[in-house]
Amino acid sequence: MSSKVKKLGNLADIFQTEKLDGSIRKIKLSHIKPAEFQPRKMRQKGVEDLAASLQAEGLLQPIVVSKAETSNSYTIIAGERRYHAATSLGWKEIECKILDKNEKESYRIAVIENLQREQLSPYEEVEAMFLLKSRYGYTDLQLGQLFHKSRNYMSELLSISRLSEAELLACKEAGIQNKNFLVQAVQAAKNQDLQKFLKAFTSGKITTVKAAKSFNKQPTNPIPTNKPKSPTTELEITQKKGSLVVKSKDQQLLQQIYKLLQEKFNT
């Protein structure tokens, strides 16, 4: 083998074994695709403004991608809106940071990136955490450690996922955009009082979490007691042949009247 061929072989080996993890390079947009799961549901939100910024200032921060194992394609971990903005401008390629991460790690990083760069709505945060727990097997404690939150915070946040899609939509339409209010909505739904809770919220009767908690502490129905009901007292007094006739279903009352009459006429 000639030295020239040997050198080419060595270069090919180096290229094939080159580690892409952490490297930054330009990749054709046609080789990049959005991830199937994305914490932010409104994927196109603010893309027009971002495109104007890219056109004026250029790309200030590369998007983060992972390389597919079986093809020459890349999946977006973070920066999907930048990808859409660049596509709308007709860019052919974009600068990317490549990370060697599996689907589980990629989604976790995507959630962190969205929480840090632009706060997720409580609805998006709940769905993201629920997916990490149900699909990827994270526990409440592990999620708390990953996102620097207490286990109690995560348990409360994940309790919101008990609401159905229709109930979550009703909460959103009522204007609830706070995690603590959503937790109280869960309790109201458990008490079968969600509609009353939402009505109280929209009418301004519930404006604080304290008021929401007080609403949920109120009994929905009167508490039944074992105290016997008092019999209905029906007293009928009629006059017959010059005498008064007293009738009642309450025998105790009749006895009291008889005793009073005895005392009256015996004196």
Side-chain angles (χ1 to χ4, degrees):
M1 180 184 292
S2 67
S3 59
K4 187 176 181 180
V5 174
K6 187 175 181 180
K7 285 180 181 177
L8 287 172
N10 289 338
L11 285 172
D13 291 339
I14 291 170
F15 180 78
Q16 289 173 2
T17 58
E18 180 186 7
K19 291 184 178 180
L20 296 176
D21 190 34
S23 65
I24 297 176
R25 61 185 61 194
K26 286 189 175 181
I27 299 174
K28 289 182 179 180
L29 285 168
S30 59
H31 291 174
I32 301 171
K33 62 178 182 179
E36 181 183 356
F37 300 107
Q38 164 64 257
R40 189 168 295 284
K41 297 300 136 190
M42 298 178 68
R43 297 189 175 200
Q44 299 287 342
K45 182 182 178 182
V47 167
E48 289 184 7
D49 292 338
L50 189 52
S53 175
L54 288 181
Q55 195 166 29
E57 307 294 338
L59 184 69
L60 301 180
Q61 187 173 0
I63 68 174
V64 183
V65 299
S66 62
K67 190 177 185 306
E69 294 180 4
T70 56
S71 64
N72 189 31
S73 64
Y74 299 82
T75 303
I76 298 171
I77 296 176
E80 185 176 329
R81 291 193 307 135
R82 278 167 276 165
Y83 160 82
H84 288 302
T87 302
S88 71
L89 292 173
W91 289 13
K92 300 300 181 186
E93 57 184 15
I94 191 169
E95 196 171 61
C96 302
K97 182 175 182 179
I98 304 170
L99 296 182
D100 184 16
K101 302 293 181 185
N102 58 28
E103 185 186 85
K104 176 180 178 179
E105 283 298 299
S106 295
Y107 188 76
R108 181 182 67 83
I109 294 170
V111 174
I112 292 172
E113 197 266 352
N114 274 281
L115 285 172
Q116 289 179 345
R117 289 177 58 82
E118 189 174 349
Q119 188 176 6
L120 293 171
S121 74
Y123 300 94
E124 292 171 330
E125 190 178 354
V126 168
E127 189 171 342
M129 296 303 169
F130 181 72
L131 186 63
L132 283 169
K133 182 175 181 177
S134 60
R135 183 180 178 88
Y136 301 118
Y138 286 101
T139 65
D140 293 7
L141 180 60
Q142 288 171 330
L143 288 173
Q145 292 169 342
L146 283 173
F147 297 99
H148 307 289
K149 301 286 186 181
S150 68
R151 182 176 182 176
N152 183 60
Y153 175 93
M154 282 300 168
S155 297
E156 282 193 341
L157 185 70
L158 286 163
S159 73
I160 299 169
S161 63
R162 296 174 195 162
L163 293 173
S164 67
E165 287 186 16
E167 289 171 332
L168 283 169
L169 180 60
C171 291
K172 191 180 292 187
E173 290 176 344
I176 297 179
Q177 290 294 331
N178 179 282
K179 188 257 312 181
N180 293 321
F181 278 118
L182 281 174
V183 170
Q184 293 307 313
V186 173
Q187 184 59 47
K190 188 178 177 180
N191 296 340
Q192 298 184 341
D193 269 343
L194 181 59
Q195 292 305 317
K196 290 181 182 178
F197 178 88
L198 295 179
K199 188 176 180 180
F201 181 85
T202 53
S203 66
K205 292 180 180 178
I206 294 177
T207 56
T208 64
V209 176
K210 184 178 179 180
K213 288 181 178 180
S214 296
F215 174 92
N216 285 325
K217 286 179 181 178
Q218 294 175 0
T220 338
N221 301 307
I223 300 172
T225 60
N226 295 324
K227 186 178 179 180
K229 293 182 179 180
S230 301
T232 303
T233 302
E234 293 181 358
L235 186 64
E236 183 183 349
I237 303 176
T238 57
Q239 190 172 4
K240 189 175 181 181
K241 296 181 181 181
S243 302
L244 291 177
V245 179
V246 181
K247 294 180 180 180
S248 176
K249 292 180 180 179
D250 191 340
Q251 295 300 318
Q252 188 176 358
L253 178 61
L254 286 174
Q255 289 177 1
Q256 289 176 348
I257 293 172
Y258 179 75
K259 185 177 180 182
L260 288 170
L261 291 172
Q262 263 193 330
E263 291 174 354
K264 177 71 175 175
F265 293 103
N266 286 340
T267 55

